[in-house]
Amino acid sequence: MSQKGLIYSFVAKGTVVLAEHTSFTGNFSTIAVQCLQKLPSNSSKYTYSCDGYTFNFLIDSGFELKVLVGCAVFLAVADESAGRGLPFVFLERVNDDFKQRYSTSVRNDGGPHPLADEDDEDDDLFEDRFSIAYNLDREFGPKLKEHMQYCMNHPEEISKLSKLKAQITEVKGIMMDNIEKVLDRGERIELLVDKTENLQFQADSFQRQGRQLRRKMWLQNLRFKLMVGGVVVFLIIVLWLIACRGFKC
């Protein structure tokens, strides 16, 4: 148990372990299953630490198995000194291999599923059977061992892959942040356009009201001038009549 690196691995559906491998003795599987039952649902990657070991989980809900509907859960137990890079590069390799072998998307040619018994002609494979886990462990358990050995025997390659995946994750995060900013900026631009349109409407309305007010004032001024002119003409006529004592001037 003093060996550094990858120690134990399994593939599970839900809380059911389907295939596993380890070359060491210990209670790794017991702790792993306990962690499996407490996995958060809002993350695809998660790591627990216990007694100098890390329990690294990768959850893939993006595909369904023909024999088992639901997400696949991949675990790698590693020494803490291995960090998180090695376990998750290993888990990505296992995930890709598992998906290639058992995803329904790769068995759309009508042929038998890789895990099916040769004499099983039922369309609903392994329904009400306990042979699912047995067949998966028999088929994929040795593949877990192969991936473990490869990752342990090629540390430089795995380290480069780990750094590359970290950079890709960082770039994806930056891109998502930029997209959110662009979308937020778009919302602000739309809000600004709406406000501009409202201001334009208010300005047009103000101009109409101004023209109406000027026309009204002009009419009132005209009436006033006509009234003043009429009064002046009336006064002139009255004065003329007084001066001429009638119309005999």
Side-chain angles (χ1 to χ4, degrees), residues 18-201:
L18 305 176
E20 60 183 342
H21 171 75
T22 184
S23 299
F24 303 90
T25 58
N27 61 343
F28 304 112
S29 61
T30 302
I31 298 176
V33 170
Q34 292 175 354
C35 295
L36 180 63
Q37 296 172 348
K38 300 178 182 179
L39 284 179
S41 58
N42 59 349
S43 177
S44 61
K45 294 182 178 180
Y46 204 80
T47 299
Y48 291 100
S49 295
C50 181
D51 296 333
Y53 300 98
T54 58
F55 292 74
N56 307 276
F57 290 89
L58 175 64
I59 304 171
D60 188 349
S61 57
F63 72 99
E64 294 182 351
L65 304 176
K66 187 174 181 181
V67 293
L68 292 171
V69 178
C71 62
V73 182
F74 304 88
L75 162 78
V77 179
D79 193 278
E80 279 188 343
S81 62
R84 296 189 66 192
L86 172 63
F88 280 106
V89 171
F90 163 75
L91 291 175
E92 292 286 354
R93 287 174 58 89
V94 172
N95 183 17
D96 292 341
D97 189 7
F98 191 76
K99 185 183 297 184
Q100 183 178 3
R101 290 173 182 273
Y102 305 123
S103 175
T104 57
S105 61
V106 301
R107 298 303 303 176
N108 56 5
D109 55 358
H113 194 275
L115 299 179
D117 295 332
E118 294 181 357
D119 58 350
D120 192 344
E121 298 180 354
D122 192 347
D123 291 336
D124 190 4
L125 299 175
F126 305 107
E127 183 177 1
D128 297 328
R129 297 188 182 184
F130 292 100
S131 60
I132 301 174
Y134 171 76
N135 281 300
L136 272 167
D137 191 48
R138 182 186 63 186
E139 290 281 342
F140 202 71
K143 296 300 178 182
L144 291 174
K145 180 180 180 180
E146 291 180 12
H147 287 299
M148 276 182 143
Q149 291 176 342
Y150 183 89
C151 291
M152 294 297 296
N153 293 335
H154 300 81
E156 293 183 0
E157 177 184 347
I158 299 303
S159 178
K160 290 180 181 179
L161 284 174
S162 176
K163 292 179 180 179
L164 179 61
K165 287 183 178 293
Q167 292 174 354
I168 293 174
T169 301
E170 182 180 2
V171 171
K172 286 174 64 178
I174 294 174
M175 290 179 62
M176 292 300 296
D177 185 56
N178 289 337
I179 290 173
E180 290 179 357
K181 289 181 179 179
V182 169
L183 293 176
D184 181 60
R185 190 179 300 117
E187 292 177 355
R188 292 181 181 178
I189 291 175
E190 290 179 358
L191 181 61
L192 181 60
V193 170
D194 292 339
K195 289 183 176 179
T196 302
E197 291 178 350
N198 290 334
L199 288 174
Q200 183 64 39
F201 176 77

